[in-house]
Amino acid sequence: MKNTAYISIQNLSGLPLILISFLWDLVFLFIGIGLIYFILVFIVKRKRSKKERTAIVLKKDIAPLVSTLLFHEHADNRQENEDFVHAKVHIHQLLKNPINRKMVSEILMDLQADLSGDARQRLIKIFQHYGLHQDAIKRLKSMRWEVVCRGINELTQMQVNGAYIYIRKFVNDNRSIVRKQAQVATVALKHEGINYFLDTATCKIS
């Protein structure tokens, strides 16, 4: 009697014999893959939760500094002036970290939707003063459409007129969502944007 056990699979096509040990190897392989998958999902979710908690803490720390920069620039009170200088220096230090730059950018983008008049202009000035518009311009080089759209939206909302030359090349982009965002931005950032858009658009205009 042979030491190796076989299972015979009978059908009309006459399939060859399959080793039971090979079947068990497949079972263990799939179990192993499943365990690795669940472990990876757990690790990714844990890291994401940690990043979200860190982001919340950072926003709580940064938001008061941004508020001070917005509303205490020309304060008469000595304490408020000192707070303004402290906030300016602190934010300058924070922006050396890419994660903090992203947080400050997000806070400013959230605030600009609720502000108007002089307060909104000061916010735009802060955005550009700290070079956050350069981060948005860099996003235009991404291969991911959502990153490009985010960059275009930030530059448009923050009225970065100098970004016009970078954005207009997306007017005929193959990705419709990027194309539409660029068309709106081109018209919004420059007076001549509407003429450039109408003269160069090769795709159907919605």
Side-chain angles (χ1 to χ4, degrees):
M1 184 177 179
K2 294 182 178 180
N3 293 329
T4 307
Y6 291 88
I7 180 171
S8 179
I9 298 178
Q10 303 291 334
N11 60 21
L12 296 176
S13 303
L15 292 175
L17 298 176
I18 301 177
L19 285 169
I20 291 179
S21 58
F22 176 69
L23 292 176
W24 278 112
D25 288 341
L26 285 178
V27 170
F28 289 130
L29 175 63
F30 285 118
I31 290 173
I33 292 172
L35 287 173
I36 292 171
Y37 173 78
F38 284 114
I39 290 170
L40 288 175
V41 169
F42 174 77
I43 292 172
V44 170
K45 287 187 68 176
R46 188 173 180 180
K47 287 181 69 176
R48 184 173 295 175
S49 298
K50 185 178 179 180
K51 286 178 69 176
E52 289 174 354
R53 289 194 299 269
T54 303
I56 291 172
V57 172
L58 277 173
K59 283 188 175 182
K60 285 183 178 179
D61 292 339
I62 294 172
L65 298 174
V66 173
S67 179
T68 300
L69 288 181
L70 273 175
F71 302 109
H72 294 167
E73 184 176 4
H74 302 294
D76 297 327
N77 185 288
R78 179 180 176 182
Q79 182 60 47
E80 289 181 348
N81 279 327
E82 290 178 356
D83 291 341
F84 176 81
V85 173
H86 170 74
K88 198 170 183 179
V89 172
H90 196 177
I91 285 185
H92 182 74
Q93 293 297 322
L94 286 172
L95 290 176
K96 292 179 181 180
N97 185 313
I99 295 176
N100 293 340
R101 292 183 70 86
K102 183 180 178 182
M103 290 298 106
V104 173
S105 180
E106 288 180 0
I107 290 170
L108 292 177
M109 285 297 297
D110 290 341
L111 284 174
Q112 64 84 28
D114 300 322
L115 295 177
S116 60
D118 292 340
R120 189 169 189 273
Q121 291 305 313
R122 287 197 299 272
L123 183 143
I124 291 171
K125 183 180 176 182
I126 290 170
F127 184 86
Q128 297 189 34
H129 172 75
Y130 286 107
L132 296 173
H133 63 296
Q134 295 295 340
D135 297 345
I137 290 173
K138 288 178 182 177
R139 291 189 184 98
L140 302 183
K141 298 178 182 179
S142 174
M143 298 299 294
R144 296 166 56 189
W145 66 265
E146 67 273 17
V147 176
V148 175
C149 284
R150 181 187 167 194
I152 293 174
N153 182 56
E154 287 183 1
L155 294 166
T156 307
Q157 296 300 321
M158 292 301 181
Q159 300 175 11
V160 185
N161 296 331
Y164 170 79
I165 58 173
Y166 300 104
I167 294 175
R168 69 181 186 180
K169 67 181 181 180
F170 293 101
V171 164
N172 292 310
D173 195 88
N174 293 328
R175 298 160 294 185
S176 62
I177 189 168
V178 174
R179 183 170 66 246
K180 290 175 183 177
Q181 191 108 12
Q183 290 169 354
V184 171
T186 301
V187 173
L189 291 175
K190 289 278 188 178
H191 292 301
E192 63 267 26
I194 183 67
N195 293 327
Y196 177 85
F197 162 51
L198 293 175
D199 290 343
T200 60
T202 57
C203 299
K204 185 183 293 185
I205 301 173
S206 82

